[in-house]
Amino acid sequence: MFEFGRDLRKLFAQARESEDLSWLELIGANLVEAEARAQSVDAGRVSCRKPMDAALRAAALWREQARRSGRRVALDKAKSAAEDAARRAVTPDAHARTTIERVRVLLLDFDLFGRAQALAEAGALIEATQPPARDLGAQLAAVHARVAARRQRLVGDVAALMDAAALMDAAEHDSRHALPRDQAEDLQLDRAALLLEGGVLQRDARLLDQAGRELSLLVEAASPDYRPLTRARALMLCAAGLAGLAALAHDDAAAAQACVLFDAAAEQFTPDHSPLDWAAIQIARAGDPQASLTALMQAEALAAEPGSILGALARERRVSLQVEAAEAAGDKTMLDSMAEQLKRRLSVGQTPIDWAADQIGLVRVGLARQALGGPAMMGVGLVLIEAADAARDWGAPALADRAMRLLPSRQTV
């Protein structure tokens, strides 16, 4: 047993020196934070032999911590470490390496908080970087495609999404065998998410099926013993795609299978291992009849950072379920209480994404009160259009879609 423990410690010590950080998937968010803090200390030592490399590693560790926790402070530390590495870069290839890490941090910034300025900053960094060696050039092309895809998603139409998918196709083809595994998987997941979104917008089963096939390959390649988070992320997208296909075909069996996939994704890890991944799964399955309000409330608490896209989505979904339950029970007092809570939130300074989520929630409450004999809600269409525009501009098309669904007719699903 002692030999086993010593060998295991030796294995992790070797992993800590490797450029491949996939071993981080085996440890929880708290340990990732501890690793990031230790690496930041090492990078700041006067005796550090390779300060740029050490700073880049610290940035990658803080980036992973931010991806797991959704905490802005971790994201800020990742930015600071990446910028420190950039100040130490001398050669064109070194500058390219720091640019790639800085862009990856900015991409995460946009994914977590929807700050469109992050995409502009990322684009400017890429444009200012001299062409590096071949492998680094492939990595730079990959992050450029991911930035462009997010910009196209802000446009909000199918043609833009398909253009973005084509750009990612080209990046994947040109960078085959040149990308580190984590960057290749991020590119694959982004492309599959685009295909899913395009498939839902067009009601195109072919696109949804294509995304499903690609995600299935990623699931097969990600061992649950060594790559639980990558596997869970792919499974969650598979479940979303299958749920989309089920909705198009009105196929109850496919919908049930989507529920199984959502369960499988959530079972890959515990909520404390990667709080934000677990929250994302609960939010994605919120339309599932088996989804519980308790799980959604827990997801909301885990993604409670102000301005968090996932937090806003969780809150809007939770309000939707509570409004539906209150209306079904004829509970006007509950609806009045929810309206007051939302108005109090709206009366203080909010980020655009939080404002949009709370406006949608207030509309839901108002429509339910109206259905129970209350006064008619005025200006519903204008409020929803403004909320949808804010959500889309802030990088949350799913929330914008929730707003637009309420426009033509009352839908609380």
Side-chain angles (χ1 to χ4, degrees):
M1 180 63 72
F2 176 77
E3 290 296 326
F4 174 78
R6 186 171 65 183
D7 289 344
L8 191 61
R9 287 193 297 273
K10 182 179 178 181
L11 178 63
F12 270 92
Q14 292 171 343
R16 288 188 177 95
E17 298 300 319
S18 169
E19 291 187 8
D20 182 2
L21 296 179
S22 60
W23 61 274
L24 290 173
E25 294 198 24
L26 299 177
I27 65 175
N30 288 340
L31 287 177
V32 174
E33 182 174 2
E35 292 284 341
R37 291 187 184 281
Q39 182 62 38
S40 293
V41 171
D42 289 345
R45 296 185 192 279
V46 176
S47 58
C48 183
R49 291 182 300 170
K50 296 181 178 180
M52 189 197 81
D53 291 346
L56 279 177
R57 191 175 185 83
L61 289 167
W62 281 118
R63 173 167 49 80
E64 176 63 17
Q65 169 60 10
R67 186 176 185 176
R68 300 269 198 103
S69 68
R71 290 170 55 201
R72 196 181 292 273
V73 64
L75 189 67
D76 289 342
K77 289 179 182 294
K79 289 180 183 177
S80 178
E83 289 166 1
D84 181 51
R87 287 190 291 270
R88 298 173 184 276
V90 177
T91 67
D93 281 5
H95 279 292
R97 288 179 61 202
T98 62
T99 293
I100 290 164
E101 181 56 40
R102 292 174 74 186
V103 170
R104 295 184 75 186
V105 173
L106 287 166
L107 282 168
L108 182 61
D109 185 352
F110 179 78
D111 290 346
L112 293 178
F113 300 108
R115 197 172 62 88
Q117 180 61 26
L119 297 182
E121 292 173 17
L125 282 174
I126 293 169
E127 290 177 5
T129 302
Q130 297 179 24
R134 182 181 180 280
D135 284 358
L136 286 173
Q139 294 179 41
L140 201 60
V143 293
H144 175 259
R146 296 180 64 207
V147 171
R150 282 158 177 75
R151 283 177 166 169
Q152 296 287 63
R153 286 182 72 229
L154 294 179
V155 176
D157 62 42
V158 175
L161 291 176
M162 293 304 97
D163 286 345
L167 183 61
M168 297 182 89
D169 275 343
E172 186 174 3
H173 180 269
D174 294 343
S175 63
R176 194 161 295 165
H177 310 305
L179 289 182
R181 180 166 57 180
D182 63 329
Q183 293 188 45
E185 288 171 346
D186 283 344
L187 188 63
Q188 288 174 289
L189 287 170
D190 279 1
R191 183 175 180 279
L194 273 179
L195 291 172
L196 290 177
E197 190 172 344
V200 170
L201 286 174
Q202 291 192 99
R203 301 183 65 83
D204 188 334
R206 180 185 57 82
L207 289 177
L208 292 170
D209 192 46
Q210 182 182 351
R213 287 195 304 270
E214 294 185 9
L215 287 167
S216 295
L217 293 175
L218 191 54
V219 169
E220 291 173 10
S223 164
D225 296 324
Y226 300 103
R227 311 296 304 287
L229 296 180
T230 298
R231 185 180 179 86
R233 290 161 185 158
L235 280 169
M236 184 185 73
L237 284 176
C238 280
L242 190 56
L245 281 169
L248 290 178
H250 303 288
D251 188 332
D252 292 339
Q257 183 60 34
C259 295
V260 172
L261 285 174
F262 277 126
D263 288 339
E267 289 168 1
Q268 300 299 309
F269 58 94
T270 58
D272 61 333
H273 190 83
S274 184
L276 219 61
D277 280 296
W278 190 87
I281 292 168
Q282 305 311 314
I283 295 164
R285 70 174 304 173
D288 168 11
Q290 297 179 18
S292 72
L293 178 60
T294 301
L296 203 53
M297 293 174 71
Q298 186 177 354
E300 183 182 357
L302 291 173
E305 190 83 1
S308 164
I309 289 178
L310 280 179
L313 282 167
R315 187 166 64 257
E316 192 279 329
R317 296 287 177 117
R318 185 260 302 166
V319 168
S320 174
L321 290 180
Q322 290 180 325
V323 167
E324 186 176 314
E327 182 182 348
D331 191 341
K332 297 180 181 179
T333 302
M334 178 63 179
L335 291 173
D336 290 342
S337 175
M338 291 178 69
E340 288 304 315
Q341 290 173 8
L342 289 165
K343 288 176 181 177
R344 280 197 298 271
R345 283 183 54 86
L346 287 165
S347 68
V348 299
Q350 289 183 301
T351 64
I353 195 69
D354 288 321
W355 177 87
D358 289 340
Q359 288 286 13
I360 297 167
L362 195 58
V363 167
R364 290 188 184 278
V365 172
L367 292 175
R369 292 164 81 185
Q370 180 180 329
L372 295 178
M377 190 173 185
M378 306 301 294
V380 170
L382 181 60
V383 170
L384 289 173
I385 289 172
E386 288 182 347
D389 286 346
R392 190 172 291 108
D393 290 345
W394 217 249
L399 187 62
D401 182 58
R402 296 283 291 176
M404 297 307 289
R405 286 189 199 181
L406 290 173
L407 271 176
S409 61
R410 236 182 113 227
Q411 299 180 32
T412 57
V413 295

